[in-house]
Amino acid sequence: MTGGTMVQTITPELRRWIVEQTAAGFSPESVLDAMVKVGWRQELAAAALEDSLREHRRQRGDGRGAGVAPAVPARSQAAAAPLPEISLSPSLPCLDAGDRQVRVLATLSLPRVVVLGGLLSDEECEALIDLARPRLARSLTVQTQTGGEELNPDRTSNGMFFTRGESELVRRIEARIARLVNWPVENGEGMQVLNYPVGAEYKPHYDYFDPAEPGTPTILQRGGQRLATLVMYLNEPAEGGGTIFPDVGLEVAPQRGNAVFFSYDKPSPTTRTLHGGAPVAQGEKWVATKWLREREFI
């Protein structure tokens, strides 16, 4: 691989080079960094890395490939830090959420996405909407320049936050989420409820906090980096309003009681967790969002 102008095509030679580097003991993260340094776009380099190692494992037929490290690097190669994660079994169509059985509707490995069916009951959805409606205000986003909040033209919804554990309903849902994703209740931010009228949307963005922004150290003092997101659909708009993942061409339709979970092992576009809320074409959309942090959120 050489510097200069590069036609960014994933060739058999590139795939072979990737496999050889990981087989020689270089971590996937270091291989990715090497590709970016010589001019590869980060998103394309990550896709080439993942696809090449997945194909190598498939050809070997042993599920991993001897000497080849996992395709998706953890936040620390020396000691992989845990992440919120839904434990899946191909033999079980439902997950035990303690007080409720939740269906697994779809999964994706990169980005790590799990679509859940029936996480909330119809009654819980209606109760959250009724409690949130009188407390709605124009949605704000985190201001990464300062660590505060700001109005963002990319986010045209109205919203509010429930304080963690503020009611029996909120506590019940938070306990269910914690059991499903194997993550402590106290590591979750307060649940945010959002309302999107016709035309409202949230343009594609990342949920983690950009380490390069000056306000990020202040934000991280409250509980560390965000590691995962759970979006719960409280109603079904007549048209539009899906959750989109542009990097992988995925759209999750908003269906009452269902949810989409996705995690990100580092604050980087290589996680391919770019996502957004598509514009509502008819009706309105209600969602509840739960963000999960590295440690207790205060």
Side-chain angles (χ1 to χ4, degrees), residues 120 125-126 128-129 193 232-236 256-257 286-288:
L120 303 177
C125 291
E126 284 297 330
L128 287 173
I129 291 173
V193 173
M232 297 165 278
Y233 304 107
L234 306 183
N235 81 323
E236 298 177 13
R256 171 177 282 186
W286 288 85
V287 299

Side-chain angles (χ1 to χ4, degrees), residues 29 73-77 79-84 183 227 264-267 294:
E29 196 164 51
R75 280 172 286 157
S76 169
Q77 292 295 321
L83 281 172
W183 206 247
L227 303 178
Y264 21 99
D265 63 350
K266 54 187 174 295
E294 288 181 288

Side-chain angles (χ1 to χ4, degrees), residues 53-211:
L53 296 185
R54 183 190 298 115
E55 177 63 17
H56 180 71
R57 293 193 298 270
R58 187 192 67 78
Q59 290 177 355
R60 291 186 62 92
D62 59 4
R64 272 283 298 269
V68 178
V72 182
R75 280 172 286 157
S76 169
Q77 292 295 321
L83 281 172
E85 186 61 84
I86 296 175
S87 299
L88 301 175
S89 171
S91 62
L92 296 176
C94 292
L95 302 171
D96 181 9
D99 63 343
R100 190 173 181 83
Q101 294 291 305
V102 178
R103 302 184 307 279
V104 177
L105 302 181
T107 65
L108 198 63
S109 60
L110 184 64
R112 184 54 175 156
V113 175
V114 182
V115 182
L116 301 167
L119 176 63
L120 303 177
S121 69
D122 288 351
E123 293 75 18
E124 288 170 333
C125 291
E126 284 297 330
L128 287 173
I129 291 173
D130 290 343
L131 290 169
R133 193 186 299 274
R135 295 163 60 177
L136 292 177
R138 174 68 189 273
S139 297
L140 302 176
T141 58
V142 174
Q143 171 40 279
T144 52
Q145 291 291 317
T146 65
E149 294 181 317
E150 65 177 351
L151 286 173
N152 186 335
D154 289 343
R155 189 180 205 182
T156 52
S157 61
N158 298 306
M160 55 76 64
F161 276 93
F162 290 111
T163 303
R164 192 175 62 233
E166 78 165 64
S167 69
E168 188 279 329
L169 172 64
V170 171
R171 289 192 296 272
R172 182 169 74 242
I173 295 172
E174 289 176 334
R176 189 180 304 158
I177 293 169
R179 183 182 178 104
L180 275 176
V181 304
N182 299 293
W183 206 247
V185 169
E186 60 268 23
N187 289 22
E189 298 182 25
M191 190 186 308
Q192 184 184 44
V193 173
L194 296 170
N195 171 245
Y196 292 82
V198 170
E201 65 179 321
Y202 195 0
K203 293 181 180 178
H205 60 282
Y206 298 100
D207 281 352
Y208 58 73
F209 305 115
D210 187 347

Side-chain angles (χ1 to χ4, degrees), residues 23-43:
F26 293 99
S27 70
E29 196 164 51
S30 65
V31 175
L32 181 64
D33 288 343
M35 294 174 68
V36 172
K37 284 178 181 177
V38 299
W40 280 86
R41 297 195 308 275
Q42 193 166 45
E43 294 83 357

